[in-house]
Amino acid sequence: MTPRRKRLYVVLGILGGVAASVALAVMASRDNIMFYYDPSQIAAGKAPSDKRFRIGGMVVKGSVTRKPGDLQVRFVLTDFAHQVPVEYTGVLPDLFREGQGIIAHGSMSPNGAFVADEVLAKHDEKYMPPEVAASLKKKAGAKPIS
Amino acid sequence: MWNWFYKLASPPYVYRLAAVLAPWLLGGAALCIGYGLVDGLVFAPPDYQQGDAFRIIYVHAPSAWLSLSAYTLMAVAGGIGLIWRIKIGHAVAAAAAPIGASFTVLALLTGSLWGRPMWGTYWAWDPRLTSELILLFLYVGVMSLRSAFEDPGRGDRAAALLAIVGVINVPIIHYSVQWWNSLHQGATVAKFARPSMPGSMLWPLLSMLLGFMLFFGGVLCLRLRGEVLNRERQSSWVREVVRAS
């Protein structure tokens, strides 16, 4: 074996070893690295009950209620399988609206609602001009929604 | 063909080649970035949700792409230097590192400025954001490791090894938005899928990407010339170059 060959194998061996250990570490910590839990995971009891965590989901249309004269908002988050009510007091990001994906940071209260002290808005990877979005909406409205 | 390949390992040849390539690459970059900025910032339609704020994508996404590809290039060049003992490989890796690190900083900063109005926060310990920050630390680590040794050869080899090991972070960054629940959205432009944006928004983005690549190539050529001169300062051809100038 030429020294060049040997160096190649040593480097490939190191790379393979580190890649394998990182892959194992990533798989083992997958649940811990979750940035947020969705309502189904919470319903399945996967979210910590004693710690703060983040919850992510879609704001249910028509579920946003505000207390007059206060910053308190209540809304319901869904992942289209389960729902979780959320309470939050504070300023919401610009993208917060009904039907929008959001992430809230806080903890579960004993009454089953999620009490958040931070709300972040998530957006998807799709970009389009407003006219296109409007016409897409029209088309979707013409069809029966399954 | 092979002859040309061997020539690429010769420092004086690379020194001259880089001087020829640099103006073409930088000129092309100026054209692509100029068109991309005007079309992207002025003529592309606003986004239906984010309005004009989405336009930061024209700087953010190309910077992030380049931060990954520059790292991969640095690791491959370092590997060539490490395994085949080709000196120019280390020179390329050393020249690429600060440029890649700058793109990483740019991606993090523009992302943070975009995140504040849209997500509601400058920073979150999200898998995508965290792995990109680790990429910056890797760049800094590779650069400082190179200069941490008395013997430049040992510094080169240590830096190359760290760069190669760190390459594992590149797929992690790329797939972080798929593997984990993440605040960051998925890829808009993927290799084998239809991009999730109309042509009027897409063309300036692709032009910016090409422009950033050409810019990277041009700056790499300029930095490589300096790197080669410094590394070969004891050799006769450098003395010739210096005397001629």
Side-chain angles (χ1 to χ4, degrees), chain A residues 3-20:
Chain A
R4 202 184 288 166
R5 259 286 138 88
K6 201 175 152 192
R7 285 196 296 268
L8 177 64
Y9 290 143
V10 168
V11 167
L12 287 181
I14 292 174
L15 188 63
V18 176

Side-chain angles (χ1 to χ4, degrees), chain B residues 96-158:
Chain B
I99 320 173
S102 315
F103 280 124
T104 314
V105 170
L106 200 58
L108 288 168
L109 283 181
T110 52
S112 166
L113 288 178
W114 195 1
R116 178 62 213 167
M118 288 306 135
W119 294 343
T121 182
Y122 286 111
W123 182 263
W125 293 103
D126 160 277
R128 168 59 70 81
L129 277 60
T130 310
S131 52
E132 182 76 10
L133 184 66
I134 292 173
L135 184 75
L136 179 63
F137 294 158
L138 277 169
Y139 271 120
V140 174
V142 168
M143 286 191 284
S144 26
L145 197 57
R146 191 184 308 279
S147 48
F149 289 87
E150 198 83 7
D151 170 18
R154 285 184 62 191
D156 278 341
R157 290 195 289 278

